[in-house]
């Protein structure tokens, strides 16, 4: 998964989009900026040892409160040096993913955004799971009262056997408890199995709102609409429910700290027509096709969407693009070592699209050969160095299971760049130090997820 809006006060309504310099667009959703949020006591960094680094006393941002309510906290500019950290499913390197505790820890570690993946219940309620098949992330398989709910289904072309959220009411689903999805890789996280419920979308919104008030900085949310075409095939309209929830919370607005992401295309185009919310196009493997394209009998692959011409088309309906790491720095299929960087970031920026890359994880099994600490798949490798490699390529934001390490990497990278950073924390209007481009401006955001 989705980066930051940089919308000047005079650009709050939908306007024709024109390509502008990405450096002027990058990442201004937080108040104060991401860089200030990352700064620990006396300029230090959050720790990387298991997610328990120092917490900023009194909250980040030098004690200043957001100048606007959380629901309208987006208009301030950041700068080209303010990279953004998205907590991928929360601090999922340290707690079971998609739990409120994972989100709270991510915020404590300095994340700018938290990411809920949205699937639906039988009664149409939005809940937070990476997939609608939940045997890998909940204890449903151990619940005899739900043994008869086990099904085999085809979801986006993949045959799955298990338990599916759309076969449970919200009340039933809330009786389940979360568990670690990768117990062999993250055995320490299994200590938290059985402690947390499956959150609703509303609970994630409430968590971000409360945390923003408590920390005096803006915590954004990057909801991903999962399996939209599949859910429509079973009579569930997720987009309508997402918009209903956003509007109930006064978040369908260009200034809201919300970025909606999807691997599909048609639902992002629908959101562009029917709402004001920021959106991000996610990119899967280059040879794969979006589920809605397959359903419509189309032939467009993600690789084609990621071409220079495809990215220009993405810019007509989305605010940013979110590729996996291979689009930027591919790996050798045999050795797993990093290969030469591609032109993807340059191509996306040329189309006016900020780039947020997924997913950065600290375990050896997720790192390229040269960043691994050993042959142990669960061993901890050089994630900070790996993230820095992408920051050097000009990416605007990163999704990470380990927000503390990502925060340390982005802060160190920003500190290494030339020139003093401008003061943060107050509004920067049209005549401020980060004045945006004149005239019509495309909606600028950086964001996404996996």
């Amino acid at each position: 998964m989705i980066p930051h809006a940089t919308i000047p006060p005079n650009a709050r309504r939908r306007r024709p989009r024109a390509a502008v310099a990405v450096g002027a667009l990058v990442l201004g959703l937080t108040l104060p900026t991401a860089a200030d949020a990352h700064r620990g006591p006396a300029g230090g960094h959050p720790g990387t040892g298991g997610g328990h680094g120092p917490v900023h006393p009194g909250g980040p941002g030098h004690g200043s409160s957001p100048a606007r309510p959380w629901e309208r906290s987006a208009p301030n500019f950041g700068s080209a040096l303010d990279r953004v950290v998205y907590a991928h499913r929360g601090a999922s390197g340290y707690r079971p993913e998609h739990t409120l505790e994972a989100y709270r820890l991510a915020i404590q570690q300095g994340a700018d955004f938290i990411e809920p993946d949205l699937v639906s219940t039988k009664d149409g309620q939005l809940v937070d799971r990476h997939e609608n098949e939940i045997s890998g992330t909940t204890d449903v398989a151990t619940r005899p009262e739900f043994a008869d709910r086990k099904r085999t289904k085809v979801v986006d072309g993949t045959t799955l056997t298990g338990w599916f959220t759309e076969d449970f009411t919200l009340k039933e689903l809330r009786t389940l408890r979360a568990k670690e999805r990768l117990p062999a890789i993250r055995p320490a996280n299994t200590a938290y199995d059985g402690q947390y419920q499956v959150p609703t979308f509303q609970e994630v919104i409430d968590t971000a709102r409360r945390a923003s008030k408590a920390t005096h900085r803006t915590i954004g949310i990057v909801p991903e609409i999962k399996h939209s075409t599949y859910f429509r095939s079973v009579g569930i309209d997720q987009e309508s429910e997402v918009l209903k929830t956003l509007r109930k919370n006064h978040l369908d607005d260009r200034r809201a700290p919300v970025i909606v992401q999807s691997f599909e295309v048609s639902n992002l185009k629908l959101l562009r027509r029917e709402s004001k919310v920021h959106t991000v196009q996610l990119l899967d493997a280059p040879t794969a096709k979006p589920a809605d394209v397959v359903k419509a009998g189309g032939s467009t692959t993600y690789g084609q969407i990621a071409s220079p011409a495809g990215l220009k088309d993405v810019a007509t309906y989305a605010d940013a693009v979110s590729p996996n790491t291979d689009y930027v720095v591919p790996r050798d299929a045999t050795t797993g070592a990093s290969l030469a960087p591609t032109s993807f970031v340059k191509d996306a920026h040329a189309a006016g699209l900020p780039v947020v890359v997924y997913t950065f994880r600290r375990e050896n099994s997720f790192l390229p050969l040269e960043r691994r600490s050993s042959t142990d798949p669960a061993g901890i490798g050089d994630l900070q160095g790996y993230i820095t490699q992408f920051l050097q390529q000009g990416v605007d934001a990163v999704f990470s299971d380990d927000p503390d390490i990502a925060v340390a990497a982005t802060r160190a990278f920003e500190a290494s760049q030339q020139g003093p950073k401008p003061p943060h924390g107050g509004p920067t209007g049209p005549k401020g130090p980060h004045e945006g481009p004149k005239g019509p401006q495309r909606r600028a955001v950086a964001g996404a997820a996996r």
Side-chain angles (χ1 to χ4, degrees):
M1 71 162 100
I2 6 236
H4 273 66
T6 54
I7 308 301
N10 63 354
R12 293 170 184 171
R13 294 177 295 176
R14 191 182 308 270
R15 295 173 179 234
R17 290 173 300 280
V20 294
V22 173
L25 297 179
V26 181
L27 314 182
L29 220 99
T30 54
L31 288 176
T33 65
D36 281 326
H38 298 168
R39 185 179 295 111
H45 309 310
T48 57
H52 299 291
V55 181
H56 319 305
H62 313 294
S64 59
S65 298
R68 300 174 179 86
W70 177 74
E71 293 82 359
R72 297 292 179 271
S73 56
N76 285 9
F77 285 105
S79 78
L81 297 181
D82 286 335
R83 270 40 179 208
V84 175
V85 172
Y86 290 81
H88 186 244
R89 313 178 196 175
S92 50
Y94 309 114
R95 298 290 187 275
E97 66 187 35
H98 291 315
T99 59
L100 295 182
E101 183 58 28
Y103 294 129
R104 293 179 184 121
L105 180 57
I107 293 165
Q108 178 184 348
Q109 292 179 343
D112 302 294
F113 276 78
I114 55 177
E115 182 207 20
D117 288 342
L118 303 180
V119 294
S120 295
T121 65
K122 184 177 182 179
D123 45 349
Q125 301 299 304
L126 293 170
V127 294
D128 188 6
R129 291 289 90 184
H130 180 57
E131 299 292 342
N132 55 325
E133 201 288 295
I134 54 174
S135 61
T137 60
T138 74
D139 60 358
V140 65
T142 69
R143 299 295 188 94
E145 67 270 31
F146 297 128
D148 62 349
R149 305 283 179 95
K150 192 174 185 179
R151 302 280 190 274
T152 297
K153 301 186 180 188
V154 178
V155 180
D156 294 347
T158 300
T159 300
L160 301 170
T161 298
W163 287 261
F164 297 82
T165 58
E166 65 269 22
D167 296 326
F168 292 77
T169 65
L170 177 60
K171 182 178 179 179
E172 291 172 330
L173 201 64
R174 296 284 279 179
T175 67
L176 304 178
R177 292 297 180 268
K179 69 175 185 179
E180 171 57 39
R181 183 174 61 91
L182 302 171
I185 298 296
R186 294 168 176 169
N189 286 11
T190 62
Y192 303 98
D193 286 357
Q195 295 188 25
Y196 311 126
Q197 289 182 306
V198 174
T200 63
F201 185 28
Q202 182 62 56
E203 286 179 319
V204 179
I205 292 172
D206 292 341
T207 296
R209 180 187 288 112
R210 285 193 295 265
S212 297
K213 182 177 181 180
T215 63
H216 305 292
R217 61 188 181 97
T218 295
I219 308 301
I221 57 173
V222 190
E224 180 186 343
I225 300 175
K226 303 288 293 190
H227 306 303
S228 174
T229 293
Y230 167 78
F231 275 108
R232 284 184 183 275
S233 74
V234 297
I236 297 175
D237 182 348
Q238 289 181 289
E239 287 70 30
S240 292
E241 286 301 314
V242 168
L243 290 179
K244 178 181 176 181
T245 303
L246 293 179
R247 287 165 180 163
K248 181 177 70 173
N249 288 275
H250 309 289
L251 293 171
D252 182 9
D253 192 279
R254 302 305 302 149
R255 298 163 292 174
V258 178
I259 308 168
V260 178
Q261 52 183 338
S262 178
F263 279 104
E264 300 191 25
V265 176
S266 58
N267 61 345
L268 293 179
K269 292 182 176 180
L270 180 149
L271 291 174
R272 171 57 59 94
R273 293 191 305 269
E274 298 187 2
S275 77
K276 300 176 183 178
V277 71
H278 292 289
T279 56
V280 175
Q281 177 68 67
L282 300 173
L283 300 179
D284 206 346
T287 58
K289 301 174 186 177
D292 55 327
V293 170
V294 174
K295 179 73 172 179
S299 60
T300 303
T301 65
Y302 286 108
Q304 291 170 318
I305 295 174
S307 69
L311 291 168
K312 290 179 181 178
D313 181 62
V314 171
T316 67
Y317 65 85
D319 299 297
V321 63
S322 182
N324 64 38
T325 56
D326 284 345
Y327 279 93
V328 179
V329 182
R331 299 184 194 180
D332 185 280
T334 301
T335 67
S338 294
L339 299 174
T342 71
S343 65
F344 181 88
V345 175
K346 180 181 178 180
D347 294 340
H349 285 176
L353 291 169
V355 178
V356 56
V357 180
Y358 72 88
T359 303
F360 292 93
R361 300 173 168 109
R362 64 181 182 159
E363 293 86 5
N364 288 328
S365 57
F366 301 115
L367 293 169
L369 178 65
E370 70 275 10
R371 300 291 178 181
R372 298 170 193 166
S373 61
S374 68
T375 58
D376 178 8
I380 305 304
D382 180 18
L383 176 58
Q384 181 165 337
Y386 188 45
I387 291 174
T388 302
Q389 186 177 346
F390 283 76
L391 298 176
Q392 291 168 342
Q393 293 302 311
V395 305
D396 303 292
V398 297
F399 270 96
S400 181
D401 288 12
D402 310 282
D404 55 345
I405 301 176
V407 164
T410 56
R411 184 61 190 163
F413 178 79
E414 289 165 2
S416 73
Q417 303 306 291
Q418 63 180 4
K421 295 179 70 63
H424 298 300
T428 56
K431 296 183 180 180
H434 301 295
E435 181 178 357
K438 304 292 185 182
Q441 176 168 341
R442 73 174 305 278
R443 300 190 302 171
V445 112
R450 290 24 349 191

